[in-house]
Amino acid sequence: MKSLILATATVLSLTGMAAAADHEVKMLNKGEAGAMVFEPELITIAPGDTVTFKATDAGHNAETIPGMLPDGAEPFVGKMGKDVTVTFTEEGVYGIKCKPHLGMGMVAAVIVGAPVNLETAKTVKTPGKAGKKFEALLGGL
């Protein structure tokens, strides 16, 4: 009986691991949407998925924006010029910025499952072009 329970638990855990997906978002000096961008700028994933913010071009980082996180989510700050991989477990909208290029509009949105904090995320003020970029990214949700 113990071996049957152990075998069932192993199969269930492997099934759960297989369901999680890995995604990549590039940090670029120039992309399809212009200069200083994340590509893609908007990504929708499932809870438990991971996103690697790829330092394709030097001088960028990826970090969460205060106030643009769902309840219970852990903020993160990636190091300058380094990839950072994050597992997103809480459903909602995550605002992401490149700290040195925030005013230039270098932001992205990660939607995990249902955008439960969408209205709160829309009220967060960001400088320069970032605010207009978030209006465009989150406006259609």
Side-chain angles (χ1 to χ4, degrees), residues 53 62-65 69 74-78 84 86 88 94-96:
F53 296 91
E63 61 184 78
T64 48
I65 297 173
L69 292 169
E74 290 292 322
F76 69 88
V77 177
V84 60
V86 180
F88 292 87
Y94 293 74
I96 310 298

Side-chain angles (χ1 to χ4, degrees), residues 12-82:
L12 289 175
S13 70
L14 290 175
T15 303
M17 288 190 305
D22 297 316
H23 307 272
E24 184 178 279
V25 174
K26 296 176 183 173
M27 298 180 274
L28 300 168
N29 291 339
K30 185 170 174 77
E32 290 181 27
M36 304 303 170
V37 294
F38 287 96
E39 199 169 89
E41 294 175 314
L42 176 66
I43 186 169
T44 301
I45 65 173
D49 285 2
T50 62
V51 175
T52 297
F53 296 91
K54 195 88 174 143
T56 305
D57 292 325
H60 303 293
N61 81 322
E63 61 184 78
T64 48
I65 297 173
M68 292 186 86
L69 292 169
D71 290 339
E74 290 292 322
F76 69 88
V77 177
K79 293 183 180 182
M80 198 63 58
K82 302 286 184 188

Side-chain angles (χ1 to χ4, degrees), residues 84-98:
V84 60
T85 300
V86 180
T87 301
F88 292 87
T89 57
E90 301 297 327
E91 283 195 319
V93 176
Y94 293 74
I96 310 298
K97 68 180 178 182
C98 171

Side-chain angles (χ1 to χ4, degrees), residues 2 47 80 99:
K2 249 185 189 176
M80 198 63 58
K99 187 174 183 175

Side-chain angles (χ1 to χ4, degrees), residues 35-38 41 101-108 127-131 133:
M36 304 303 170
V37 294
F38 287 96
E41 294 175 314
H101 301 115
L102 175 62
M104 296 175 75
M106 190 167 177
V107 295
K129 294 179 180 178
K133 180 80 64 91

